[in-house]
Short mmCIF file of all heavy atoms in Angstrom, two decimals:
data_model
loop_
_atom_site.label_atom_id
_atom_site.label_comp_id
_atom_site.label_asym_id
_atom_site.label_seq_id
_atom_site.Cartn_x
_atom_site.Cartn_y
_atom_site.Cartn_z
N THR A 80 7.66 -23.75 -2.74
CA THR A 80 7.63 -24.55 -1.47
C THR A 80 6.84 -23.79 -0.50
O THR A 80 7.19 -23.29 0.61
CB THR A 80 9.05 -24.65 -0.87
OG1 THR A 80 9.94 -25.01 -1.99
CG2 THR A 80 8.99 -25.78 0.12
N LEU A 81 5.53 -23.65 -0.76
CA LEU A 81 4.52 -22.75 0.08
C LEU A 81 4.49 -23.41 1.45
O LEU A 81 4.47 -24.59 1.75
CB LEU A 81 3.16 -22.90 -0.55
CG LEU A 81 2.94 -22.02 -1.77
CD1 LEU A 81 1.64 -22.51 -2.56
CD2 LEU A 81 2.84 -20.59 -1.38
N GLU A 82 4.38 -22.36 2.41
CA GLU A 82 4.14 -22.72 3.79
C GLU A 82 2.76 -22.17 4.22
O GLU A 82 2.25 -21.22 3.59
CB GLU A 82 5.31 -22.05 4.52
CG GLU A 82 6.64 -22.65 4.29
CD GLU A 82 7.75 -21.83 5.02
OE1 GLU A 82 7.42 -20.93 5.81
OE2 GLU A 82 8.94 -22.11 4.75
N LEU A 83 2.30 -22.68 5.34
CA LEU A 83 0.93 -22.24 5.84
C LEU A 83 1.05 -20.72 6.04
O LEU A 83 0.09 -20.02 5.72
CB LEU A 83 0.63 -22.89 7.10
CG LEU A 83 0.44 -24.43 7.05
CD1 LEU A 83 0.07 -24.96 8.51
CD2 LEU A 83 -0.73 -24.73 6.18
N GLY A 84 2.11 -20.18 6.57
CA GLY A 84 2.25 -18.82 6.85
C GLY A 84 2.26 -17.86 5.55
O GLY A 84 2.24 -16.59 5.73
N ASP A 85 2.33 -18.51 4.37
CA ASP A 85 2.26 -17.73 3.15
C ASP A 85 0.81 -17.28 2.77
O ASP A 85 0.57 -16.50 1.83
CB ASP A 85 2.85 -18.45 1.99
CG ASP A 85 4.29 -18.76 2.15
OD1 ASP A 85 4.94 -17.96 2.98
OD2 ASP A 85 4.79 -19.83 1.68
N SER A 86 -0.19 -17.80 3.46
CA SER A 86 -1.51 -17.47 3.27
C SER A 86 -1.72 -16.01 3.50
O SER A 86 -1.37 -15.50 4.62
CB SER A 86 -2.47 -18.27 4.17
OG SER A 86 -2.48 -19.60 3.88
N ALA A 87 -2.17 -15.35 2.56
CA ALA A 87 -2.28 -13.77 2.71
C ALA A 87 -2.97 -13.19 1.51
O ALA A 87 -3.32 -13.90 0.57
CB ALA A 87 -0.83 -13.18 2.64
N LEU A 88 -3.18 -11.91 1.60
CA LEU A 88 -3.62 -11.19 0.38
C LEU A 88 -2.40 -10.54 -0.30
O LEU A 88 -1.66 -9.89 0.32
CB LEU A 88 -4.59 -10.00 0.78
CG LEU A 88 -5.20 -9.22 -0.37
CD1 LEU A 88 -6.15 -10.07 -1.20
CD2 LEU A 88 -5.98 -7.99 0.24
N TYR A 89 -2.13 -10.83 -1.56
CA TYR A 89 -1.01 -10.31 -2.24
C TYR A 89 -1.56 -9.19 -3.14
O TYR A 89 -2.25 -9.50 -4.08
CB TYR A 89 -0.28 -11.38 -3.03
CG TYR A 89 0.36 -12.48 -2.14
CD1 TYR A 89 -0.28 -13.54 -1.59
CD2 TYR A 89 1.66 -12.14 -1.69
CE1 TYR A 89 0.31 -14.40 -0.73
CE2 TYR A 89 2.34 -12.99 -0.79
CZ TYR A 89 1.64 -14.11 -0.28
OH TYR A 89 2.27 -15.00 0.54
N LEU A 90 -0.96 -8.05 -2.86
CA LEU A 90 -1.31 -6.86 -3.61
C LEU A 90 -0.25 -6.41 -4.55
O LEU A 90 1.00 -6.38 -4.21
CB LEU A 90 -1.71 -5.75 -2.61
CG LEU A 90 -2.91 -5.96 -1.80
CD1 LEU A 90 -2.91 -4.99 -0.60
CD2 LEU A 90 -4.24 -5.74 -2.57
N CYS A 91 -0.62 -5.95 -5.63
CA CYS A 91 0.40 -5.40 -6.56
C CYS A 91 -0.07 -3.90 -6.75
O CYS A 91 -1.30 -3.59 -6.70
CB CYS A 91 0.66 -6.11 -7.81
SG CYS A 91 -0.33 -5.68 -9.27
#
Side-chain angles (χ1 to χ4, degrees):
Chain A
T80 321
L81 283 165
E82 300 177 1
L83 295 179
D85 297 333
S86 294
L88 180 67
Y89 290 87
L90 293 164
C91 91

